[in-house]
Amino acid sequence: MSELSVVILAAGQGTRMRSELPKVLHTVAGKPMLQHVIEAAKALTANAIHVVYGHGGETVRSRLADQAVHWVEQTEQLGTGHAVNQAMPDIPGHHTVMVLYGDVPLITGATLQRLAMAAQDGLGLLTTRLPEPTGYGRIVRDGAGKVQAIVEEKDATEEQRSIQEVNTGMLAVRADALRRWLGALDNDNAQGEYYLTDIIARAASEGVTVNTVNPGEVAEVMGVNNRVQLAELERDFQRRQNEELMMSGVTLLDPQRFDLRGALTAGRDVVIDVNVVMEGKVVLGDGVFVGPNCYLHDVSIGAGTRISSHSVLERADIGTECHIGPFARIRPDTRLSDRVHIGNFVEVKKSLVETGSKINHLSYVGDTTVGKSVNIGAGVITCNYDGANKHRTIIGDNAFIGSDTQLVAPVEVGSGATIGAGSTITHDTPAGELTLSRTRQKTVQGWHRPVKKIDEG
Ligand code: UD1
Ligand code: CA
């Protein structure tokens, strides 16, 4: 196949989004629409990707600074033909140029591959049939079915408007021919714009064959002009992604109530209950169960672990056969080894909890190393912050921390140590011994509860 330069048009303002954010930065599955298109182009192994930007240009460029693309500014939006022409000076004549759109995010590499093939012996044009074609450019064919022209809705005759085959906007053709046709465009039409679509009639009149290609699914060619359309594409993307997940062996109890904004790698027999959202990079081992209403962001979970309902896990690494939740919060830089139990209303941050340890109720464990087979009672708090700096707590293997204990860091509890309930621990505690800090219980004989005074006023 010949060498390929992709031109992505992304200069439009997107007024109908009613947003401060440039349209192409609005996201589908957590990723800017423009990035979806760039990735589809990359899947084609294009030699170069040119992004024509205009509105909110600096924001677009800085948000996608890590993408290997050429940025081309279109200072005034004079039409799609004018936009493509901005990128042409950098494109060698023998390249095939493929035109894509930053606000048509669901286009797939497979469809673009067929479009590139269609440009091998002519001009490749991506079209589709719509029962309701209003607003789109119509594909005009002659009696023999050969494409003659594209006519825009606003310039179309009554008869042309009844054509259901529409222009998706995406096309591919040799750069030298395209350069010549673009150079000859005028803006003598209903919108006073330089239409890219006018090159079709020129190609046809020069005897260049226009080969049409259809997308695998209509959603691939759907553009986003407002937030209603954005939400429709989001649903479509999630549906397709969830179908793939289920086909690969993941059970989704309701595929309409699981959203993945990122990448999920799942082992065998993973079960995901309803209203779960996952973001970033998530890895789930064999047999992992994720209960209802959980949020997972950049986490890895070992085989056989159960995450019960309403748990939030971010940037954490969880071992096998653990039980987390319900109502647990695992914060960044946490590592739980195998068979760890984290129960309800427990928050763990930047901590290592080793094999077999349990923190089952109402605790805060931060900046802490918890050894093996430790039992942390209800309501235990590591006081890791002195108002200025964070300090670490170290708890040795087999320690037992009684309920409602405060561990004032920096502090170390020796292995096998027992801390009596209700203690405030400010000094290191010896291994194997009972340590507690409480006043002795006493009983005040003859004490009476206060009695409510009668209001005489
Ligand atoms: C265009 C096509 C139409 C097709 C439709 C599919 C033309 C003349 N018409 O119409 O046949 O059915 O798309 O959606 O091409 N853009 C720029 N710079 C410009 C103008 C546009 O970057 O100067 C970008 C816009 O941001 C947008 C895209 O190009 O992403 C399409 O432009 P738009 O004006 O929306 O074209 P349509 O009227 O939808
Ligand atoms: Ca449009």
Side-chain angles (χ1 to χ4, degrees):
M1 200 144 64
S2 63
E3 292 180 82
L4 184 68
S5 283
V6 171
V7 178
I8 303 174
L9 302 192
Q13 186 172 5
T15 322
R16 282 170 286 170
M17 295 300 284
R18 299 184 180 279
S19 175
E20 288 299 313
L21 195 67
K23 175 162 77 171
V24 294
L25 290 185
H26 282 262
T27 58
V28 170
K31 193 192 290 178
M33 288 196 279
L34 177 55
Q35 194 180 333
H36 281 272
V37 182
I38 291 171
E39 284 173 10
K42 280 189 178 150
L44 275 178
T45 60
N47 296 69
I49 299 172
H50 304 264
V51 179
V52 180
Y53 70 95
H55 267 275
E58 282 322 305
T59 322
V60 176
R61 287 184 64 154
S62 65
R63 177 71 197 275
L64 296 175
D66 55 338
Q67 302 290 320
V69 298
H70 299 276
W71 296 96
V72 183
E73 190 175 7
Q74 186 194 24
T75 43
E76 265 187 297
Q77 274 82 68
L78 301 179
T80 49
H82 178 262
V84 173
N85 214 15
Q86 305 310 300
M88 294 311 292
D90 297 331
I91 301 177
H94 68 280
H95 274 207
T96 296
V97 175
M98 183 180 285
V99 179
L100 305 177
Y101 298 82
D103 58 358
V104 184
L106 300 195
I107 190 67
T108 62
T111 297
L112 296 183
Q113 199 72 48
R114 289 187 289 116
L115 182 61
M117 292 302 293
Q120 292 296 78
D121 61 341
L123 187 151
L125 184 64
L126 191 64
T127 72
T128 191
R129 286 192 166 275
L130 293 178
E132 186 37 77
T134 308
Y136 288 87
R138 309 297 206 284
I139 308 299
V140 181
R141 292 177 185 265
D142 68 10
K146 279 170 92 173
V147 174
Q148 293 298 296
I150 296 174
V151 53
E152 291 304 299
E153 167 95 16
K154 287 184 177 136
D155 304 290
T157 63
E158 201 59 42
E159 198 192 338
Q160 287 167 333
R161 282 183 195 177
S162 69
I163 299 171
Q164 290 188 332
E165 187 185 9
V166 302
N167 174 33
T168 66
M170 287 171 257
L171 55 80
V173 68
R174 248 183 90 98
D176 40 20
L178 179 61
R179 197 187 327 275
R180 189 155 43 77
W181 297 328
L182 289 174
L185 287 183
D186 63 43
N187 63 354
D188 186 13
N189 52 49
Q191 300 182 76
E193 289 180 6
Y194 296 90
Y195 289 164
L196 173 63
T197 45
D198 282 352
I199 69 163
I200 303 301
R202 288 178 188 276
S205 73
E206 287 183 19
V208 173
T209 316
V210 177
N211 299 310
T212 56
V213 168
N214 301 135
E217 283 191 51
V218 176
E220 285 186 49
V221 299
M222 286 296 155
V224 170
N225 291 311
N226 56 48
R227 296 181 199 241
V228 174
Q229 291 167 337
L230 182 66
E232 283 167 5
L233 289 196
E234 178 74 35
R235 283 306 97 211
D236 196 85
F237 185 93
Q238 294 295 341
R239 177 185 57 76
R240 271 201 267 172
Q241 190 169 245
N242 288 344
E243 281 172 9
E244 274 173 36
L245 280 174
M246 290 187 289
M247 294 314 281
S248 76
V250 175
T251 295
L252 299 177
L253 290 178
D254 182 354
Q256 296 188 45
R257 286 184 287 168
F258 170 59
D259 279 21
L260 171 60
R261 305 171 194 140
L264 170 61
T265 309
R268 291 182 80 80
D269 298 310
V270 163
V271 176
I272 299 173
D273 212 325
V274 301
N275 292 332
V276 170
V277 174
M278 295 186 191
E279 293 184 333
K281 208 165 160 276
V282 174
V283 178
L284 305 178
D286 292 347
V288 165
F289 170 78
V290 181
N293 301 306
C294 287
Y295 173 73
L296 276 60
H297 186 123
D298 286 335
V299 294
S300 162
I301 297 176
T305 287
R306 287 180 68 84
I307 312 290
S308 295
S309 72
H310 299 88
S311 293
V312 174
L313 290 76
E314 289 173 83
R315 282 197 9 237
D317 188 354
I318 314 254
T320 61
E321 308 285 334
C322 292
H323 196 158
I324 314 291
F327 299 99
R329 176 152 186 228
I330 310 294
R331 291 175 51 201
D333 303 319
T334 292
R335 211 168 82 70
L336 309 183
S337 303
D338 303 334
R339 298 193 307 283
V340 168
H341 288 195
I342 304 293
N344 43 219
F345 310 108
V346 171
E347 175 181 348
V348 183
K349 187 215 78 170
K350 208 174 184 175
S351 293
L352 166 66
V353 182
E354 294 199 76
T355 304
S357 290
K358 296 183 173 131
I359 314 173
N360 272 332
H361 326 271
L362 301 152
S363 286
Y364 172 63
V365 172
D367 302 295
T368 299
T369 301
V370 179
K372 298 186 183 73
S373 302
V374 169
N375 195 313
I376 295 191
V380 169
I381 288 171
T382 56
C383 308
N384 59 332
Y385 186 52
D386 61 14
N389 297 296
K390 299 278 171 65
H391 303 281
R392 288 202 73 82
T393 300
I394 295 168
I395 301 172
D397 295 348
N398 296 303
F400 180 99
I401 315 293
S403 294
D404 194 28
T405 292
Q406 300 93 51
L407 299 164
V408 181
V411 72
E412 181 167 351
V413 175
S415 57
T418 302
I419 307 297
S423 295
T424 300
I425 300 298
T426 52
H427 297 101
D428 292 355
T429 73
E433 304 288 353
L434 169 67
T435 301
L436 69 168
S437 76
R438 332 168 175 133
T439 50
R440 196 168 283 279
Q441 179 170 329
K442 63 182 177 190
T443 301
V444 178
Q445 297 293 337
W447 182 82
H448 294 288
R449 288 187 194 167
V451 182
K452 190 169 173 65
K453 289 196 182 110
I454 292 152
D455 188 355
E456 291 163 351

